[in-house]
C-alpha cells in the first residue's frame, strides 16, 4: 500500500508533524509513505529518517514567478503543476492525508486520484472532507486568533485516528551546555537580545559549570553580534542544530522551528511566548517544556498586523529573573506538579463532545472523572469546583436567554428579509457574551459565527441557528454531566473515609439492623 501525506506548510509545522508521521508509520508498518513538501524545506529529509520513503516537492516560488513575471510563458506554471499531479497519480495511492488544511492543498488533493482522501479536499464543485467533529473543530478554531483548547498535533492526531504522545525526556548524562535560540521569523515574537545577554551572564556567573551558546542561521549572525561575541555563536544548519541539541541539557527559545526539533530530541525547553505566538496551538509538543508568557489582553495578536501597543509589553513583562528561575528549576530537575485549572476541565468536556459521547451515557463521564482525579490531586480538583459551578451557571443562563429570545419558525416564515428588530433581543444576549470575554473555551462561538454569516433566506437563518444552539446545548449539558461526575467521585472519597467503604458485601442490610461495623467481615 502507498500513502501520500501533503504538508505544504512552513518549516516548523513540518518538523512538529513528526509524531503524526511516526504514528502513521506505526499504524502502517508495511506501507510505502510519501511526503509532498514545499521545495524550500527539502532539508527536513535528513530529520525524518525512516518515517518517509519518498519525497515530492511543490515548487511554490517558481510557480508564483511563472504566473507573475513576463519572462515566463503564460502556461508554464500550469504545465509544471500538471506534471507534478501526473507524477503523483502515477504512484496510485490508496490513501492521501492532508496535513495542511488550506485551499491550495484542498484543490491539489482534488486533482490526486485516490480511493481514500483524509482531510480537506475539493471535489464535485465544493470543499469536502470535514467528516468528523475533530476536523471541523480544527478547521473552525485553528486559523486566526480563535481560541483552541488543543494543540495542532493533538487535533490532527484525533482527526485522523493517529495516536500521538508528547515526547518525554531524552537520554540522561548530557553535557552542561545550554543553548539559546534568540531570533524568530517575526519581530513581535522576539525577546530583546539585551535580555538574552543578561540571562547568559546570569547563568554563567551563577552556575559556573554551565556554558551558554547561541544557535543561529548564517543570516542572523550580523544581528546577534551586536550583543554577543563571535565565539558565543554556533552558526549552523538544521542537521548541525539537531546534533548540538542532542548534546545540550536545555534550550531557551522563542517561537521557532528549533523548539520543535528540540522536542523531538527530548531536550528540556523553556519557551518564551510573545506577540502572535499561541502556545496552546503550536508550543513544543513535549512533556518537558515550560511556557513563559505575559498576561496581556492583546496577546496573542494577529500574525499580519503590527504591534498595537506603544511598546512591546508582552516582551517587557518577561523578566530575566523569571526566565533564570525557570532555568534553575529545569537544571536542578525540580519536580513540578501541574496544578489543575478550569482549562483542564474544558479540555475534557470538549474531548467528550468531539468524540460524540452522549450525555445520557453515564459510564464514560464517570471514567473520565476518575482519570481526571488520578491525574490531578483530589484536593486541587475540589478547589476549582466552585469556579466550575459558577461558570456552568453562567453558561446555562446565557443558553436559556438565547433560546428564549430566539424567534419561532412561524414568526419568520412570512418575512422575505431578516431585520435586526426581528432578532434584537437575541443579538443583545450574543453581544453580552462576546463583550464579557468569559467564554474562553468557545462554547458559544457557533452562535456568534452563525450571526455573522450570510443567508439566502430567513428560514435558512432559522435552520442554521437552531443547529448552532443545539451544538451549544450539547456542550453545556456535557459540561454539567462531567462536573456532576467529578462531584460524585470526590464525595465517594468522603463517604469511604466516614466508614461506608468498610461495610461488608451485605453491609447495607446490616446497617438496617445495626449501626456497628464488623471489622472482620469488612476485611473479607
Amino acid at each position: 500500500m502507498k500513502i501520500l501525506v501533503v504538508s505544504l506548510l512552513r518549516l516548523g509545522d513540518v518538523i512538529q508533524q513528526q509524531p503524526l508521521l511516526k504514528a502513521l508509520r506505526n499504524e502502517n508498518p508495511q506501507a510505502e509513505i510519501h511526503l509532498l513538501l514545499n521545495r524550500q524545506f527539502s532539508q527536513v529529509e535528513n530529520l525524518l529518517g525512516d518515517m518517509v520513503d519518498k519525497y515530492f516537492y511543490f515548487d511554490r516560488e517558481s510557480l508564483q514567478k511563472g504566473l507573475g513575471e513576463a519572462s515566463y510563458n503564460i502556461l508554464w506554471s500550469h504545465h509544471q503543476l500538471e506534471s507534478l499531479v501526473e507524477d503523483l497519480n502515477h504512484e496510485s495511492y490508496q490513501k492521501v492525508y492532508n496535513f495542511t488544511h488550506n485551499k491550495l492543498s484542498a484543490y491539489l488533493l482534488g486533482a490526486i486520484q485516490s480511493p481514500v482522501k483524509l482531510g480537506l479536499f475539493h471535489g464535485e464543485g465544493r470543499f469536502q472532507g470535514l467528516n468528523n467533529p475533530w476536523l471541523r473543530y480544527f478547521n473552525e478554531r485553528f486559523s486566526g486568533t480563535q481560541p483552541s483548547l488543543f494543540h495542532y498535533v493533538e487535533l490532527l492526531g484525533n482527526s485522523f485516528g493517529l495516536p500521538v504522545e508528547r515526547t518525554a525526556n531524552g537520554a540522561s548524562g548530557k553535557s552542561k551546555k545550554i543553548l539559546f535560540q534568540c531570533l524568530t521569523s517575526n519581530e513581535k515574537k522576539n525577546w530583546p537580545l539585551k535580555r538574552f545577554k543578561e540571562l547568559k551572564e546570569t547563568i554563567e556567573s551563577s552556575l559556573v559549570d554551565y556554558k551558554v551558546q547561541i544557535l543561529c542561521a548564517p543570516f542572523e549572525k550580523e544581528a546577534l553580534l551586536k550583543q554577543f561575541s563571535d565565539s558565543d555563536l554556533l552558526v549552523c544548519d538544521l542537521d548541525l542544530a539537531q546534533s548540538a541539541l542532542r548534546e545540550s541539557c536545555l534550550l531557551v527559545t522563542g517561537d521557532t522551528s528549533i523548539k520543535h526539533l528540540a522536542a523531538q530530541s527530548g531536550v528540556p525547553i523553556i519557551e518564551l511566548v510573545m506577540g502572535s505566538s499561541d502556545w496552546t496551538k503550536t508550543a513544543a509538543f513535549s512533556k518537558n517544556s515550560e511556557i513563559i508568557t505575559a498576561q496581556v489582553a492583546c496577546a496573542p495578536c494577529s500574525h499580519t498586523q503590527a504591534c498595537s501597543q506603544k511598546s512591546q509589553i508582552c516582551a517587557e513583562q518577561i523578566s530575566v529573573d523569571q526566565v533564570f528561575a525557570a532555568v534553575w528549576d529545569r537544571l536542578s530537575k525540580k519536580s513540578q506538579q501541574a496544578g489543575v485549572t478550569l482549562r483542564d476541565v474544558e479540555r475534557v468536556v470538549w474531548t467528550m463532545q468531539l468524540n460524540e459521547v452522549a450525555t445520557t451515557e453515564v459510564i464514560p463521564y464517570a471514567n473520565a472523572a476518575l482519570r481526571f482525579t488520578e491525574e490531578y490531586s483530589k484536593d486541587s480538583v475540589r478547589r476549582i469546583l466552585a469556579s466550575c459551578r459558577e461558570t456552568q451557571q453562567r453558561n446555562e443562563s446565557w443558553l436559556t436567554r438565547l433560546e428564549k429570545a430566539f424567534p419561532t419558525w412561524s414568526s419568520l416564515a412570512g418575512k422575505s428579509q431578516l431585520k435586526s428588530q426581528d432578532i434584537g433581543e437575541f443579538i443583545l444576549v450574543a453581544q453580552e457574551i462576546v463583550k464579557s470575554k468569559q467564554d474562553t473555551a468557545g462554547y458559544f462561538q457557533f452562535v456568534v459565527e452563525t450571526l455573522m454569516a450570510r443567508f439566502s433566506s430567513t428560514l435558512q437563518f432559522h435552520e442554521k441557528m437552531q443547529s448552532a444552539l443545539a451544538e451549544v446545548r450539547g456542550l453545556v449539558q456535557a459540561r454539567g454531566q462531567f462536573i456532576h461526575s467529578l462531584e460524585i467521585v470526590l464525595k465517594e472519597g468522603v463517604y469511604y473515609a466516614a466508614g461506608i467503604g468498610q461495610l461488608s458485601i451485605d453491609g447495607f442490610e446490616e446497617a438496617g439492623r445495626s449501626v456497628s461495623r464488623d471489622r472482620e467481615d469488612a476485611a473479607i
Side-chain angles (χ1 to χ4, degrees):
M1 179 170 70
K2 287 185 179 180
I3 298 172
L4 175 67
V5 175
V6 176
S7 181
L8 302 180
L9 294 171
R10 295 165 296 183
L11 180 61
D13 299 302
V14 178
I15 294 174
Q16 73 172 327
Q17 288 169 0
Q18 285 190 61
L20 294 163
L21 292 169
K22 184 178 179 180
L24 187 60
R25 168 61 71 200
N26 291 339
E27 294 285 303
N28 304 274
Q30 305 303 320
E32 195 173 315
I33 298 176
H34 297 181
L35 182 61
L36 175 65
L37 299 170
N38 285 313
R39 181 170 294 281
Q40 64 264 42
F41 304 137
S42 60
Q43 62 266 43
V44 302
E45 280 194 33
N46 298 327
L47 306 178
L48 298 180
D50 58 1
M51 286 180 275
V52 177
D53 299 296
K54 187 175 181 179
Y55 293 85
F56 286 91
Y57 293 105
F58 185 85
D59 203 341
R60 182 192 296 265
E61 292 181 358
S62 294
L63 289 172
Q64 287 176 334
K65 285 182 179 179
L67 292 171
E69 295 186 9
S71 59
Y72 284 82
N73 184 292
I74 192 170
L75 296 177
W76 184 87
S77 291
H78 170 77
H79 291 316
Q80 292 296 108
L81 190 56
E82 187 177 50
S83 176
L84 172 63
V85 171
E86 286 178 0
D87 289 342
L88 292 170
N89 283 334
H90 182 72
E91 298 289 341
S92 300
Y93 294 111
Q94 280 73 52
K95 284 185 181 180
V96 180
Y97 289 82
N98 187 358
F99 283 6
T100 310
H101 260 252
N102 58 23
K103 288 184 179 180
L104 171 63
S105 64
Y107 283 118
L108 193 56
L109 254 75
I112 297 172
Q113 297 168 5
S114 175
V116 179
K117 297 179 182 180
L118 299 167
L120 188 68
F121 68 95
H122 191 269
E124 301 177 356
R126 60 191 178 90
F127 290 106
Q128 303 183 59
L130 302 179
N131 51 358
N132 71 57
W134 285 100
L135 272 171
R136 290 196 295 273
Y137 184 99
F138 176 75
N139 193 59
E140 294 164 358
R141 304 297 175 99
F142 205 79
S143 62
T145 57
Q146 296 97 324
S148 172
L149 291 167
F150 302 96
H151 193 277
Y152 168 81
V153 175
E154 285 181 300
L155 285 172
L156 285 186
N158 283 307
S159 296
F160 298 134
L162 298 174
V164 293
E165 292 185 1
R166 296 178 186 270
T167 52
N169 293 359
S172 58
K174 294 181 178 178
S175 67
K176 294 187 175 182
K177 179 169 68 175
I178 298 171
L179 297 177
F180 288 178
Q181 174 70 34
C182 301
L183 299 176
T184 72
S185 59
N186 188 327
E187 188 176 348
K188 290 191 300 180
K189 299 190 289 187
N190 287 346
W191 200 44
L193 287 179
K194 183 179 179 181
R195 294 197 178 184
F196 267 115
K197 182 181 180 181
E198 290 176 21
L199 179 62
K200 179 180 185 297
E201 292 170 349
T202 303
I203 291 172
E204 291 181 338
S205 62
S206 304
L207 308 169
V208 293
D209 292 338
Y210 288 85
K211 176 69 177 175
V212 176
Q213 276 198 297
I214 316 300
L215 285 175
C216 72
F219 67 89
E220 296 173 329
K221 184 175 180 179
E222 183 178 352
L224 289 168
L225 284 174
K226 295 176 181 178
Q227 293 291 339
F228 302 101
S229 68
D230 192 73
S231 61
D232 291 330
L233 305 184
L234 181 58
V235 183
C236 56
D237 58 13
L238 277 178
D239 288 344
L240 288 175
Q242 186 177 53
S243 298
L245 285 165
R246 286 172 176 165
E247 296 173 358
S248 67
C249 60
L250 182 67
L251 171 71
V252 182
T253 181
D255 186 6
T256 68
S257 303
I258 295 297
K259 72 179 183 184
H260 300 305
L261 202 58
Q264 303 314 315
S265 302
V267 178
I269 304 163
I270 295 173
E271 185 175 343
L272 310 181
V273 176
M274 294 154 285
S276 57
S277 298
D278 188 336
W279 64 268
T280 305
K281 298 177 179 179
T282 56
F285 198 62
S286 168
K287 293 179 181 178
N288 197 16
S289 175
E290 182 172 350
I291 304 296
I292 298 180
T293 185
Q295 300 300 317
V296 293
C298 55
C301 55
S302 170
H303 286 282
T304 56
Q305 295 177 347
C307 180
S308 61
Q309 308 299 319
K310 292 181 179 180
S311 61
Q312 193 182 359
I313 56 175
C314 58
E316 292 167 358
Q317 289 187 16
I318 299 177
S319 68
V320 173
D321 287 344
Q322 184 182 4
V323 182
F324 177 69
V327 170
W328 179 281
D329 289 344
R330 288 287 161 180
L331 295 179
S332 62
K333 298 181 180 178
K334 180 180 177 181
S335 61
Q336 296 183 341
Q337 182 68 35
V340 66
T341 65
L342 279 176
R343 181 177 175 275
D344 298 310
V345 172
E346 312 299 6
R347 275 174 55 88
V348 175
V349 173
W350 271 98
T351 298
M352 303 290 283
Q353 185 74 356
L354 294 173
N355 286 336
E356 299 183 308
V357 179
T359 53
T360 54
E361 298 178 28
V362 177
I363 292 178
Y365 285 90
N367 289 335
L370 283 169
R371 289 193 299 269
F372 196 79
T373 53
E374 288 170 358
E375 182 176 358
Y376 305 101
S377 71
K378 290 187 177 181
D379 286 341
S380 66
V381 176
R382 285 191 186 93
R383 282 195 290 269
I384 68 161
L385 268 182
S387 296
C388 288
R389 296 188 193 101
E390 181 183 338
T391 304
Q392 184 67 13
Q393 289 172 358
R394 182 172 61 243
N395 289 343
E396 290 173 351
S397 173
W398 278 338
L399 178 59
T400 299
R401 291 170 60 195
L402 284 171
E403 290 179 328
K404 185 178 180 181
F406 189 59
T408 62
W409 183 89
S410 58
S411 68
L412 296 179
K415 299 179 183 293
S416 59
Q417 188 175 2
L418 187 69
K419 298 181 179 179
S420 58
Q421 56 263 36
D422 296 326
I423 54 171
E425 182 63 27
F426 190 87
I427 292 173
L428 288 174
V429 179
Q431 286 179 336
E432 179 185 324
I433 295 170
V434 173
K435 290 178 180 179
S436 74
K437 297 184 179 180
Q438 292 179 313
D439 183 31
T440 54
Y443 284 88
F444 292 85
Q445 187 167 322
F446 299 113
V447 169
V448 174
E449 289 179 349
T450 304
L451 269 176
M452 297 172 66
R454 292 186 177 183
F455 300 98
S456 59
S457 68
T458 56
L459 296 184
Q460 186 191 34
F461 163 79
H462 192 274
E463 179 183 343
K464 293 292 185 182
M465 187 58 78
Q466 270 194 326
S467 176
L469 285 170
E471 291 208 46
V472 174
R473 192 181 309 114
L475 277 164
V476 172
Q477 289 174 350
R479 193 180 189 281
Q481 179 68 278
F482 180 62
I483 292 171
H484 179 62
S485 299
L486 280 178
E487 290 172 334
I488 290 174
V489 170
L490 296 175
K491 284 177 181 177
E492 283 179 349
V494 174
Y495 294 152
Y496 189 92
I500 292 177
Q502 298 177 39
L503 286 172
S504 61
I505 293 173
D506 51 1
F508 288 102
E509 293 179 9
E510 294 176 10
R513 298 188 296 269
S514 171
V515 295
S516 62
R517 296 193 297 266
D518 190 327
R519 297 288 181 177
E520 186 176 345
D521 284 351
I524 296 173

